[in-house]
Amino acid sequence: MTSSAELRRRYVEELFGEGLLPDADVVRAFGTVPREEFVAYGFHAGGDRWAGPTDPDFLTMVYRNHPLVTKIVDGVPVSSSSQPSLMAAMIEGLDLRPGTRVLEIGVGTGYNAALMATMGARVTAVDIAPDVVDRARAALARIGLADVVDVRLGDGYLGEPANAPYDRVIVTVGLTGVSPRWLDQLAPGGFVLAPVEHAGNHPVLRIWPGRSGVGEVRGLLRAGFMSAAGPLAARYPGGFPEPRRVGEFPDPTVRQPARWRPPLDVFRYHDLWFAVGAWDRRTTFSAGPVGGWGGPGGCVLLDEDHGGGAGLLADGSVQAAGVRANRYAAEALALRDRWVARGQPEISDWSARLAPAGVPDRPILVPTGWIQR
Ligand SMILES: C[S@@+](CC[C@H](N)C(=O)[O-])C[C@H]1O[C@@H](n2cnc3c(N)ncnc32)[C@H](O)[C@@H]1O
């Protein structure tokens, strides 16, 4: 059987082999921390299967660039070890130095906290679920990091005042808005990296206290995350519509032809999708059947009053449904062409301001007024 160290070496090659000059400390951390210690209670391996350490293919599955779902409640995944390439990109985005004080919201398995601690960061990590906290603490203790990472039980909305201030806050669970407490707990020059709902996805945004107003935001990278519990995932007036599941979007009756052959790759498609969301708050995700989407789903402009709308596919074609299908198809085409006319901006080309939303005693700060930089 191939050893953990050898599988980890190949995993690091897969993660960073073709990357653009990855940070050597990030590469070293992924090559050092044994991911299997953080999924010792197993993970969901597809269908009805729960894979555990006694399975012969356990280590092979652990050392893949896949998220590993470690807890499911009522059929909904609520905790996981996130996708390694996404963790690597976020950690790189933190620009850590030895001694950097980091607050992580959503400790999950503890693997991400261990990676950051291995790079010399002083990590405080919060999770809302007691069993998750216990297991993360145990895993960190097994690899000798119990005294380096302070794992706390609580709602991440509150941050963790006990160890504040922090140079960085990293959030590893999907939000509809940012907690003002995190900005209050930042040291001067600090910033937050958080996946904040935008058009049915959770792109990672970089957020910092503003010179005027409550804060400023910049797009960083495309991502998908499970949703947070509590006020961090509050719906608010004027927010994006909730994603549509399979079967919730009617069959298309209007079809407009493709613009791109081959279609945009997944990164460019998400750049287009982000821009459409920045210009139009009716944008969300639909898991199908718009345009015959299966699996990953795609971008729709939702006609919420009339149960239809328009889907914009990666090849630039548009498929619309419902009583206003023609109008929606025309609007989706106009948004697509606007993105082209603006030079096909990437997610990182957008910035916004933060504005308060949510309930009065637990407000969240949401990005508003997106502009292309
Ligand atoms: C995707 S997992 C985090 C992955 C983790 N960083 C790792 O390395 O394994 C998301 C975690 O966020 C936690 N969570 C959800 N809502 C939360 C909240 N309001 N405050 C703190 N943690 C929360 C969940 O219990 C779950 O463990």
Side-chain angles (χ1 to χ4, degrees), residues 1-361:
M1 202 164 55
T2 319
S3 71
S4 161
E6 172 56 17
L7 287 167
R8 198 155 55 242
R9 194 188 60 72
R10 292 185 204 162
Y11 161 81
V12 166
E13 239 172 57
E14 183 195 340
L15 288 179
F16 301 104
E18 291 162 21
L20 294 171
L21 294 178
D23 181 320
D25 293 331
V26 180
V27 178
R28 210 169 301 119
F30 275 87
T32 308
V33 178
R35 193 183 191 200
E36 65 273 28
E37 291 295 346
F38 294 88
V39 289
Y41 288 86
F43 50 84
H44 183 236
D48 291 336
R49 185 171 170 213
W50 195 261
T54 54
D55 289 312
D57 55 351
F58 177 70
L59 283 178
T60 323
M61 287 194 285
V62 165
Y63 286 111
R64 282 193 193 140
N65 185 20
H66 287 178
L68 303 173
V69 171
T70 48
K71 184 175 172 186
I72 299 177
V73 175
D74 297 333
V76 179
V78 294
S79 193
S80 67
S81 171
S82 307
Q83 185 169 22
S85 53
L86 176 55
M87 281 191 274
M90 287 182 78
I91 294 175
E92 284 209 23
L94 289 176
D95 192 20
L96 298 179
R97 303 270 178 271
T100 305
R101 294 159 296 180
V102 179
L103 172 64
E104 181 181 39
I105 305 298
V107 73
T109 62
Y111 180 53
N112 194 54
L115 292 166
M116 297 187 292
T118 301
M119 293 173 65
R122 285 156 51 195
V123 183
T124 303
V126 180
D127 205 287
I128 201 163
D131 56 338
V132 169
V133 163
D134 288 347
R135 287 176 184 187
R137 281 189 183 136
L140 289 160
R142 278 196 296 276
I143 66 160
L145 293 177
D147 297 334
V148 188
V149 181
D150 186 357
V151 181
R152 303 267 179 144
L153 174 64
D155 186 343
Y157 178 89
L158 302 171
E160 181 46 78
N163 294 341
Y166 304 100
D167 304 299
R168 307 283 184 262
V169 177
I170 177 172
V171 185
T172 57
V173 64
L175 318 169
T176 50
V178 170
S179 169
R181 311 288 177 93
W182 305 336
L183 298 183
D184 295 345
Q185 291 170 23
L186 274 180
F191 62 84
V192 178
L193 286 192
V196 182
E197 188 182 66
H198 179 96
N201 296 308
H202 285 114
V204 176
L205 309 179
R206 184 177 152 139
I207 297 142
W208 63 99
R211 262 178 245 118
S212 61
V214 280
E216 294 174 39
V217 182
R218 218 173 257 179
L220 186 69
L221 50 103
R222 161 187 95 84
F225 275 91
M226 51 186 61
S227 284
L232 291 172
R235 311 298 321 167
Y236 60 92
F240 290 99
E242 289 199 56
R244 289 299 185 265
R245 288 187 289 268
V246 174
E248 287 187 332
F249 198 88
D251 286 331
T253 52
V254 172
R255 294 167 200 274
Q256 296 290 344
R259 173 165 185 157
W260 294 293
R261 291 197 196 284
L264 301 174
D265 67 28
V266 66
F267 298 97
R268 299 306 280 148
Y269 181 49
H270 276 264
D271 290 336
L272 166 64
W273 190 339
F274 191 96
V276 171
W279 287 318
D280 198 314
R281 298 296 279 193
R282 294 168 299 176
T283 313
T284 191
F285 165 94
S286 174
V290 180
W293 274 316
C299 166
V300 291
L301 278 189
L302 213 59
D303 179 356
E304 288 186 279
D305 311 334
H306 292 79
L312 180 52
L313 281 72
D315 62 4
S317 65
V318 166
Q319 312 223 337
V323 293
R324 299 196 284 228
N326 281 314
R327 202 187 91 198
Y328 267 72
E331 288 177 352
L333 289 175
L335 287 161
R336 178 198 72 185
D337 294 344
R338 184 172 174 190
W339 181 68
V340 175
R342 294 288 187 89
Q344 305 193 349
E346 299 178 11
I347 292 177
S348 56
D349 290 327
W350 291 92
S351 61
R353 284 170 293 105
L354 288 179
V359 292
D361 65 331

